[in-house]
Amino acid sequence: MRASRALPFSLLPLLSLPTPTLTCRVTPLLNLRDTSQCSLYSTTSQVTPTFSYRLAASYTGKGQRFDPKLDTYTFNPLSLRSRFTSPSKSHRPNSGQDAFFIASVGPSASPENKDQNGNPHPQPLAFGVADGVGGWTESGVDPADFSHGLCRYMKEYAQNYTSPPTKSPLLPGSLIRSAYDTVTKDPSIHAGGSTAVVAVASPNGSVEVANLGDSGFVQLRPGNIQYASEPQIHAFNTPYQLSLIPAEMMERSKAFGGEPLHDYPEDAAVSRHDVRHGDVFVFASDGVWDNLTPGDVLYVIEKVMGQRGLGGWGNLLDHGGLAGQTEVGREGSLQEKLAAAVAGEAKAASMDGKRDGPFAMEVRRYYPGEEWSGGKVDDICVVVGVVVEV
């Protein structure tokens, strides 16, 4: 269950309920939950395969009409220009308080960085989703400023990343920390909060994810949910969240004996995943997970695959078929259709008063006497990645 939006601070003492348990090793130095032991697949071939990640996003703001043709974005690592890079509110995607980013790691977006077929050489990519905490509106703060600022700074940091002499790769936790530090110093962002789920995907087939709050992701294979993240919540409707809290608000809450909700990038759950050709990653805000289960998302993905002649993901040994449908610059690419399909299904479910989703079931679990039925209307943001062995 993905918890819904919470107020930025509480007049009650901060709850410290345990994060949902995974059978994982803990990295005490950084206080990050390292789920590297959760990987269920490893490559055994003597020749190490190389992977490319074909990415697209789809989104729709609460109360806005969803247009699958307009409300999508397909990432092209060869493009020297990118949408949604301006800090101006008028240049943001139609995603409300939700935000996303997709970026090449390092200054490698160049027309020369492509093979003889025009496809980019495989390179590390960073991508993620942030969901602004809606409760800040009660304090006169636009939650979208924090979430969109966080994604903009994560994108900039990833693009400008230069590996140190130790050849250390960029890590998603470090990416969140760097962007968070910049957001808190940005004079145009006075307050706010956000969840975040961020990945760095490497050509060697390793994907590391840092997930803080109730956004989340799934790794899918034909007929199989390979991995589904668990939400981090302090209590019902109260997710972990990065926060920028003005000093006067901090003092006011303490005067009433409360403690502002204020989590840190180091509190994120970190997991590492090995990939196969044909794997599909779906990253999304709680506007999706409050209305769709991981099984629902798998059903949507399989339906689109079938419509594209890839039922059961097709013959995954035929690498050309999947590569061709996801190639850079292709109009109506597979990753774009998958992202739009998930966003569209979540939008429909959120507005269906008779279709009980995960949020409705959680309300009944926590509050048996509460009458709640149907979906939960919210902003929706989805990033889909299709893994292609090259």
Side-chain angles (χ1 to χ4, degrees):
M1 166 57 204
R2 299 311 191 265
S4 180
R5 298 296 88 217
L7 293 178
F9 64 93
S10 170
L11 298 183
L12 298 175
L14 178 63
L15 294 171
S16 299
L17 299 181
T19 303
T21 303
L22 293 173
T23 305
C24 309
R25 176 169 55 85
V26 175
T27 306
L29 178 62
L30 296 178
N31 193 28
L32 295 177
R33 292 174 59 246
D34 178 356
T35 57
S36 59
Q37 304 305 312
C38 296
S39 298
L40 300 180
Y41 169 82
S42 61
T43 302
T44 58
S45 173
Q46 294 181 351
V47 178
T48 302
T50 301
F51 297 94
S52 174
Y53 303 87
R54 314 294 170 84
L55 295 158
S58 189
Y59 39 83
T60 175
K62 179 168 58 177
Q64 301 292 321
R65 183 172 181 175
F66 175 58
D67 187 330
K69 293 184 178 180
L70 297 178
D71 298 330
T72 57
Y73 165 77
T74 300
F75 175 67
N76 183 350
L78 297 180
S79 176
L80 298 179
R81 287 188 174 186
S82 180
R83 293 162 62 190
F84 315 132
T85 56
S86 170
S88 171
K89 293 186 178 183
S90 63
H91 289 85
R92 292 174 181 170
N94 181 35
S95 56
Q97 297 166 5
D98 289 359
F100 74 93
F101 80 99
I102 306 172
S104 300
V105 176
S108 54
S110 168
E112 289 75 31
N113 185 35
K114 57 185 178 181
D115 60 24
Q116 59 184 1
N117 297 319
N119 290 312
H121 291 299
Q123 60 196 97
L125 299 178
F127 55 94
V129 172
D131 184 357
V133 178
W136 278 99
T137 57
E138 298 179 13
S139 300
V141 173
D142 183 359
D145 291 344
F146 191 102
S147 57
H148 284 270
L150 187 70
C151 283
R152 178 163 55 87
Y153 287 127
M154 284 193 287
K155 181 174 184 176
E156 291 179 0
Y157 187 84
Q159 290 176 327
N160 296 323
Y161 181 77
T162 301
S163 179
T166 57
K167 303 296 183 181
S168 299
L170 176 64
L171 301 177
S174 300
L175 189 56
I176 297 175
R177 165 53 73 181
S178 298
Y180 174 65
D181 288 344
T182 307
V183 164
T184 58
K185 297 174 184 176
D186 188 331
S188 69
I189 303 174
H190 308 291
S194 177
T195 66
V197 54
V198 177
V200 175
S202 301
N204 66 5
S206 175
V207 176
E208 180 165 322
V209 183
N211 184 27
L212 184 128
D214 60 356
S215 294
F217 72 102
V218 292
Q219 179 184 7
L220 306 175
R221 290 177 182 163
N224 180 37
I225 302 169
Q226 181 72 7
Y227 184 92
S229 64
E230 292 285 346
Q232 290 181 310
I233 59 174
H234 293 292
F236 175 73
N237 211 31
T238 313
Y240 281 36
Q241 54 201 259
L242 303 173
S243 299
L244 172 58
I245 304 172
E248 62 272 17
M249 184 178 290
M250 181 80 75
E251 293 301 320
R252 188 165 61 249
S253 64
K254 288 183 178 180
F256 285 92
E259 181 75 19
L261 284 176
H262 191 187
D263 301 299
Y264 297 92
E266 290 74 21
D267 295 319
V270 176
S271 56
R272 297 183 181 91
H273 310 267
D274 295 325
V275 304
R276 292 178 180 175
H277 175 74
D279 279 4
V280 175
F281 284 89
V282 179
F283 283 59
S285 64
D286 71 334
V288 171
W289 305 119
D290 278 346
N291 293 291
L292 302 178
T293 66
D296 293 332
V297 173
L298 176 61
Y299 175 81
V300 172
I301 296 298
E302 291 188 325
K303 182 178 179 180
V304 175
M305 290 291 192
Q307 293 170 346
R308 303 280 294 221
L310 296 170
W313 267 248
N315 181 2
L316 290 183
L317 296 178
D318 178 14
H319 287 34
L322 193 63
Q325 293 211 35
T326 59
E327 65 183 0
V328 172
R330 179 188 177 101
E331 184 176 354
S333 66
L334 175 62
Q335 60 269 35
E336 176 185 317
K337 296 300 182 183
L338 292 173
V342 173
E345 184 69 14
K347 184 78 168 184
S350 73
M351 301 175 66
D352 190 335
K354 297 181 179 180
R355 179 177 174 179
D356 288 349
F359 183 79
M361 291 184 280
E362 284 292 277
V363 170
R364 288 198 290 270
R365 184 166 75 91
Y366 280 92
Y367 305 101
E370 185 74 20
E371 293 185 6
W372 181 290
S373 61
K376 180 179 180 293
V377 177
D378 201 351
D379 300 322
I380 291 168
C381 187
V382 179
V383 174
V384 166
V386 180
V387 181
V388 176
E389 185 175 343
V390 294

